[in-house]
Amino acid sequence: TYNNKTGVRGGGTLGKLVNAHISLVSIDIGTPIWSMHSAVETGGSEDIRTSVNALSAFYSAHLSVDENNNYSI
């Protein structure tokens, strides 16, 4: 069970919450944002471009997993 504790330092994303309820092998990725969820959050245009390039490469690759949960591209 996932609990959000207000007295504990944050920095997490919804990935932990989802994985607490659905057991999947997953990765939690995203474009870094400075001061996320604040009135002054900022991100650079270069950050978006590199994130798009990384996700495009990921989704165009063929990933396979064997019976021991070893991954290969």
Side-chain angles (χ1 to χ4, degrees), residues 1-50:
T1 302
Y2 176 82
N3 294 308
N4 185 26
K5 298 179 181 172
T6 57
V8 177
R9 182 174 169 236
T13 63
L14 292 175
K16 288 187 278 186
L17 176 63
V18 170
N19 207 30
H21 297 285
I22 302 171
S23 181
L24 295 173
V25 176
S26 63
I27 58 172
D28 189 9
I29 59 172
T31 304
I33 302 291
W34 180 57
S35 299
M36 184 174 265
H37 306 301
S38 77
V40 293
E41 68 181 31
T42 58
S45 59
E46 196 68 20
D47 296 332
I48 303 297
R49 187 178 65 76
T50 55

